[in-house]
Amino acid sequence: MTFGKVIRPQWPLDEDIIFLNHGSFGASPHAVLAVQREWQDRMEAEPVRFMTRELPQHLDKSKAELALFVGARVEDLVFVQNATEGANAVLRSLLSTFKPGEELLTVSHAYRAVRQTMVYVAGLCGATVVDAEVPFPIADPEEVIDAIRLAITPRTAFAVIDHITSPTGVVFPVEKIIALFKERGIPVLIDGAHAPGQIDLHLDTLGADYYVGNCHKWLFAPKGAAFLWVDKKHQAKIHPTVISHYLGGGYQTEFGWTGTRDSTAWLSIPAGIEFHKKLFAAGSREYTRKLLVDARREISVALGVPLGTPENMLANLCTFPLPGNPDATDERVLKLHDVLFDEHRIEVPAMNANGKLYVRISSQVYNDPSDFDALKGALVELAGAGRI
Ligand SMILES: Cc1ncc(COP(=O)(O)O)c(C=O)c1O
């Protein structure tokens, strides 16, 4: 199988756009979307039969395939629409267990929506949110561990730690981080929004208390396909964000029905897994990695900036510094994105990490070096004109 321009027509991606942001919302190929449409047709052919007689068993099958893929027991997995919802389900279920003065710990590279959920929960119970200050650029996985160790106090009651960070695209050493919390008896939720499909997962042996992951990012599933994994010992206290008929029925039963909805994204996860596996067998991981590593080296050399991340902390995302190390305001972040999109037709996010402005690239099988050359040219031009 050849990657790059040859394979790109397998996605409905706009031909006029250089798409370097698989990370934000994923991109589903035609093959997976066709499967979702088949499910939707089946649902609408007889909605009552579908919802009441067919859906539960099809969801079970889909979940069983996902469980196999992420190395989990099927009983520990439930479907949610997205990682934000999964994190909300956990944090809001635990609300009454946090006491005034306790600390909910996260990292300075955390995803804002998840951190805001922590702020909301902390505000309701008199707790506070503490950020471990993880540096960026970063040189070594130990820097993450040190930052987290420093931020833990006797008041730390809970932690939310990213598996692959959103603003910086860094793969965190989560096994070692989980061990830090375990030693101290602090439960930890791993935010793996970017992990499924980007890196291999073995949730059964990872040792987390809670894990959320998206299938609509790097596993090619349609939007609205995500999961929550909860260690058996915590399941009885975790409820969905939407309470429905089966309150009190237990973890699987409660999450199994949260009101009428289109569940076809969940039903299409096996199609996403199959698509991913075919690409993987054809060498997608090697292809996207080389693409990413080469691109960030060339862009960094052209811009005269240091590399932000060591290679052993990269998967398919990479964030790199900009000339002059500019401060990031919300306005600057938006403006840089908009200039690249409006003037250069490049879809790539500008990022605020620890208050500085960066650009984050995603490397996917439909990309090739010419996409990154275009970005390099645009950034060199903008930097030369003093517009970054
Ligand atoms: C680390 C992280 N957590 C959570 C999310 C939220 O994902 P979703 O919008 O699917 O809930 C994202 C999205 O990019 C993310 O990067």
Side-chain angles (χ1 to χ4, degrees):
M1 192 183 294
T2 317
F3 298 123
K5 295 280 179 286
V6 175
I7 202 174
R8 186 168 156 143
Q10 292 193 30
W11 279 259
L13 289 167
D14 186 336
E15 282 173 14
D16 294 334
I17 305 291
I18 295 169
F19 194 70
L20 292 175
N21 188 5
H22 192 90
S24 282
F25 306 112
S28 273
H30 290 295
V32 174
L33 295 172
V35 168
Q36 182 180 32
R37 281 185 203 115
E38 274 172 36
W39 281 116
Q40 284 169 335
D41 288 345
R42 278 175 78 168
M43 173 169 67
E44 296 306 336
E46 220 292 27
V48 177
R49 181 181 63 202
F50 186 81
M51 289 291 185
T52 59
R53 293 179 169 219
E54 299 177 5
L55 183 60
Q57 71 221 38
H58 292 307
L59 284 175
D60 282 350
K61 269 194 218 153
S62 181
K63 200 188 294 174
E65 286 201 34
L66 179 62
L68 211 59
F69 185 77
V70 298
R73 298 183 329 146
V74 71
E75 309 91 276
D76 300 336
L77 275 190
V78 289
F79 286 129
V80 288
Q81 290 205 61
N82 50 55
T84 309
E85 185 188 325
N88 265 268
V90 173
L91 285 160
R92 295 171 78 168
S93 294
L94 297 177
L95 175 59
S96 62
T97 68
F98 301 131
K99 298 182 192 67
E102 286 188 335
E103 293 170 355
L104 312 183
L105 176 62
T106 188
V107 286
S108 54
H109 299 212
Y111 187 69
R112 180 155 37 183
V114 174
R115 188 179 183 282
Q116 293 288 57
T117 310
M118 299 174 74
V119 168
Y120 173 77
V121 165
L124 289 175
C125 59
T128 52
V129 175
V130 171
D131 302 301
E133 295 296 334
V134 176
F136 193 79
I138 189 163
D140 191 280
E142 286 301 319
E143 291 183 2
V144 184
I145 296 166
D146 289 345
I148 292 173
R149 190 187 289 114
L150 259 178
I152 298 175
T153 76
R155 295 176 299 283
T156 309
F158 194 80
V160 179
I161 303 293
D162 302 79
H163 202 160
I164 303 179
T165 59
S166 169
T168 47
V170 175
V171 182
F172 273 6
V174 285
E175 291 83 354
K176 287 187 179 168
I177 295 170
I178 290 168
L180 267 187
F181 290 112
K182 274 218 152 141
E183 282 162 19
R184 295 161 175 81
I186 301 165
V188 57
L189 162 66
I190 300 294
D191 177 354
H194 279 285
Q198 241 195 109
I199 54 178
D200 296 334
L201 289 176
H202 306 282
L203 298 186
D204 259 352
T205 51
L206 187 62
D209 293 276
Y210 308 91
Y211 194 103
V212 289
N214 278 333
C215 303
H216 52 230
K217 285 187 189 287
W218 299 92
L219 209 44
F220 302 116
K223 314 280 177 276
F227 65 85
L228 166 66
W229 177 96
V230 177
D231 186 297
K232 192 170 188 303
K233 65 177 179 281
H234 299 302
Q235 287 172 6
K237 57 189 181 231
I238 302 303
H239 305 281
T241 50
V242 174
I243 299 299
S244 184
H245 293 296
Y246 304 115
L247 178 66
Y251 173 65
Q252 283 293 335
T253 308
E254 288 188 28
F255 277 87
W257 186 265
T258 55
T260 307
R261 48 161 292 126
D262 182 347
S263 301
T264 58
W266 296 334
L267 297 175
S268 309
I269 290 172
I273 293 174
E274 190 191 327
F275 193 84
H276 168 86
K277 281 186 173 167
K278 268 193 205 151
L279 294 175
F280 185 83
S284 58
R285 204 162 273 176
E286 295 74 21
Y287 176 81
T288 53
R289 182 168 184 80
K290 180 165 171 22
L291 198 56
L292 188 84
V293 169
D294 289 354
R296 66 111 179 217
R297 187 184 54 244
E298 286 181 22
I299 293 172
S300 301
V301 168
L303 294 176
V305 295
L307 301 176
T309 322
E311 271 189 39
N312 63 353
M313 298 181 87
L314 287 177
N316 286 60
L317 283 169
C318 173
T319 294
F320 51 82
L322 294 167
N325 202 19
D327 290 335
T329 57
D330 283 351
E331 194 194 338
R332 270 189 158 164
V333 168
L334 261 181
K335 197 165 165 202
L336 181 55
H337 166 269
D338 288 354
V339 166
L340 287 164
F341 187 80
D342 294 336
E343 297 179 18
H344 298 273
R345 313 307 287 162
I346 302 172
E347 185 64 81
V348 70
M351 290 291 179
N352 176 349
N354 296 352
K356 294 290 179 184
L357 186 67
Y358 299 97
V359 167
R360 186 190 75 187
I361 50 177
S362 294
S363 168
Q364 191 45 278
V365 286
Y366 50 70
N367 293 123
D368 74 10
S370 71
D371 296 332
F372 295 98
D373 280 349
L375 176 64
K376 179 175 71 182
L379 288 172
V380 167
E381 187 188 311
L382 290 172
R387 295 178 68 204
I388 290 184

